[in-house]
Amino acid sequence: MPADRAGRPELLSRDAPPPRAGRGPDALSVMPEIVIPRILPLLAALVLGAAAPALAQGAGQGTGQAAGPPPEAQGPRVVYGDGTRAPAIMVDPETSRVPGMVDESALRYYASQKQTARMKAEIARLKRLYPGWTEPPDLDSLQPSPPEEAPLWDLFTAGRLQDLRAAITARHSLDPAWQPSEELGRKLRRAEFRASIQALAGKASDTRTLEEVVALYRADPGALDPADVESIWTIADSLAATGASEDAFNLYKSVLDGAADAGARLATIQKAMAHIKMEQAERLIAMGRQDPAGNSEFDPIRLDITRARIAAFLHDEPAQTPTLADLTAFQAYARKVAEPSQTGLLGWYAYKRRQFREALEWFKQAIARGGDAMVAHGLAHTLRELNMMREAEEVAYAWRERFVGNELLFIDLLERKLTLANPPFIEPVRIERYARVVNATASGEGAQGLAWYAYNSCQFDAALEWFQRAVAWMPSESTVFGYALTLQRLKRQRPYLEVVNRYDGLFPKVVDLLFRESQGGPPLPCAVQAAPAPAGR
């Protein structure tokens, strides 16, 4: 059998004319930090008492630390499945409409000092900045701090935590029996804890950083302020990422149990759906408040909830089945937005429910809108289920270099035809294209398919070369059996016996060749002479 210039055996399509001699086939707003010298003597710390408590920081600066940079905008996260498992396409929670932690330090200071006028003014200021905020219920029960702590509170409300810690240390060194008030100690502890969490949250979200966040929390869980929603989210996300999903669930639940505003509650559900199992998130969704008309407070994110339930279904995770109304609303949304990830998600959803015609339409829409190789993978699988083999083959071949799953699917689709006992006619250009991909990927399955196609077409020299490659790449019983059978057909007795002896005890079917009465095996379809056509046809 002739071979091409790359050493690949030339394989003829069945029923194609014999080749001419010498012919071969063509072969992916941070504010600037202000450094303040640390106060060494206690006297210098007390002099700073002139700083008015009204210098308290605004929202998102409860500890006086600069707010971290906003996360960069990211597209939908795509989690690829393997085998028949479909990808889950999730959208990261949108928390931009949720304000940061409101700094109540100045308010609580005025309340503890019983400065009613200043307290009311601070309440009015905070309500202007944060319309959804309400004053804490424990303001009347706060006890005034000792008068000598006034300069220390000024440092705290100014956000100068390092200077405050230095002043406390200096005072304690002069009077070992002195301790700051319980209120100041608790607030300083929480503020320092928040600052540490924010510093870690500003780093790259790698495994080491996540573990550091978890370790910091587990070392002192009481330092977490129940009103610090941002820190709760950061810790819960890290717990979920490190495998402690139940602890993460409890932290998400604490936000819903507390007095968080509506925006924080919605964002908490979005966070939970993105980081913990949907079965756990469903328990949080069930905690939603309902109005007299029976509408849930989480209805504004109903599309996100439907998306998460679809993703859970694709990954065989327990979750509520989307209602017909929710699914219809999500389908309308997917048609409206120009995001192939959303129509592709519906394609996978229909595919797993074996609604292949519907899946075909969704995948076609996703491809038309710029869908990726994973969407093409779903399209090819759907075409195969609809018995549109040639179309599936073309899609898998076109997208083979962008996703290895498409390459494997392309090899598998044609390999099934090639290994039939009576192989159908396949165009030479398709055979040549298939052979190039098989050689480039060293696919044992593909080489075996070409070998059997050549054997059943009585092209034994070409079959021998492809079987040799298949045995080297994937030594299975079927491959070795075909290799030995081809040697027998070519009457190469010595190599044939060597192959049989080499796999004796491993592949019984190969050894059984020695005990066949007909050494050549049954007649091949290509070797049977066609009956003469009736006269007149």
Side-chain angles (χ1 to χ4, degrees), residues 177-192:
W178 177 86
Q179 293 291 339
S181 64
E182 180 181 352
E183 177 76 3
L184 179 60
R186 182 177 70 255
K187 285 190 170 297
L188 177 58
R189 174 187 170 202
R190 288 180 173 179
E192 290 177 330

Side-chain angles (χ1 to χ4, degrees), residues 477 481 500 503-515:
E477 184 174 55
F481 176 77
V500 173
Y503 295 97
D504 184 14
L506 183 61
F507 299 139
K509 186 177 179 181
V510 178
V511 181
D512 288 345
L513 284 174
L514 295 175
F515 305 99

Side-chain angles (χ1 to χ4, degrees), residues 408-456:
L408 297 176
L409 180 59
F410 169 72
I411 292 174
D412 180 65
L413 284 171
L414 202 52
E415 188 254 352
R416 297 188 181 188
K417 285 188 176 181
L418 295 173
T419 53
L420 293 176
N422 190 4
F425 169 76
I426 301 176
E427 299 89 334
V429 65
R430 292 172 63 194
I431 295 291
E432 170 63 17
R433 182 178 70 177
Y434 188 80
R436 286 198 304 268
V437 175
V438 168
N439 266 341
T441 59
S443 170
E445 294 87 347
Q448 175 188 239
L450 289 168
W452 280 115
Y453 181 78
Y455 180 86
N456 290 320

Side-chain angles (χ1 to χ4, degrees), residues 228-241:
D228 185 3
V229 177
E230 291 182 353
S231 295
I232 290 176
W233 287 341
T234 301
I235 296 170
D237 296 349
S238 301
L239 286 167

